[in-house]
Amino acid sequence: MAAVKKTSTRSTLSAGILAYRKGVRGLEVLLVHPGGPFWRKKDDGAWSIPKGEIDANDPPENVARREFVEELGSSALIGPLQALGEVRQRGGKRVIAFAGEGHFDPAALISNTFDIEWPPRSGRRQSFPEVDRAEWFDIELARTKMLSAQAELLDRLLAIAVESARE
């Protein structure tokens, strides 16, 4: 009898936005910290751009804009987007990223939620925010806070900023 191969229903492709602003510390980027019990005590290397899974027929920019609002709340504003390309995270997930000038007060964070069994094997389901914190970071601090595979997006954003300054 042939073995049945398990396939994951989770998408291996996401789209997200690296929001930026010109702040008192120079160029700053907005990162989010994942909610839920697994991430509660993790900080350096745990933050991410707001992103979400792409369904088969969704254009990546539309998904990125939708997830930006779902993870931050309706007060999160983002301007025109520029493509930053794709990065591959350690677990194999590919992230198509965009950059845009954003306006958001982290104190106004209202994230959507997800349910999981917690504690594990307890039979109890609990609801957690998808994002429990959002914060503006200068580029160098963002490098230490964000997932290592996404740090490349900072270099791509800086290249765009340098090019724009020359024009």
Side-chain angles (χ1 to χ4, degrees), residues 7 13 17 41 93 97 112 121 130 134 140 150:
T7 57
L13 185 62
I17 295 175
K41 294 181 180 177
K93 179 170 281 220
N112 55 349
R121 296 176 294 286
E130 202 169 313
E140 290 314 307
Q150 291 183 17

Side-chain angles (χ1 to χ4, degrees), residues 7-149:
T7 57
S8 173
T9 59
R10 292 190 57 94
S11 171
T12 59
L13 185 62
S14 289
I17 295 175
L18 179 60
Y20 65 88
R21 71 180 183 186
K22 294 165 186 90
V24 294
R25 300 174 289 187
L27 192 63
E28 298 175 332
V29 293
L30 182 67
L31 300 177
V32 296
H33 186 271
F38 177 75
W39 297 99
R40 184 176 49 237
K41 294 181 180 177
K42 293 179 170 61
D43 190 56
D44 287 354
W47 295 69
S48 173
I49 65 172
K51 64 179 177 33
E53 294 177 358
I54 296 177
D55 293 328
N57 297 320
D58 284 341
E61 184 173 330
N62 292 357
V63 172
R65 287 183 177 280
R66 179 188 71 226
E67 292 296 326
F68 191 76
V69 172
E70 284 182 5
E71 292 191 359
L72 297 170
S74 60
S75 68
L77 302 175
I78 193 73
L81 298 180
Q82 290 185 274
L84 290 179
E86 185 179 303
V87 294
R88 184 176 297 273
Q89 296 182 169
R90 193 174 0 194
K93 179 170 281 220
R94 296 169 23 233
V95 178
I96 299 171
F98 299 89
E101 191 163 358
H103 303 283
F104 180 70
D105 176 1
L109 176 68
I110 302 174
S111 179
N112 55 349
T113 60
F114 66 96
D115 290 337
I116 59 168
E117 182 180 12
W118 191 259
R121 296 176 294 286
S122 67
R124 293 181 25 220
R125 295 197 65 79
Q126 289 191 46
S127 182
F128 296 95
E130 202 169 313
V131 167
D132 62 12
R133 290 177 279 163
E135 193 170 326
W136 291 98
F137 294 102
D138 64 55
I139 298 294
E140 290 314 307
L141 186 53
R143 284 185 198 285
T144 67
K145 294 292 183 185
M146 70 192 312
L147 296 169
S148 59

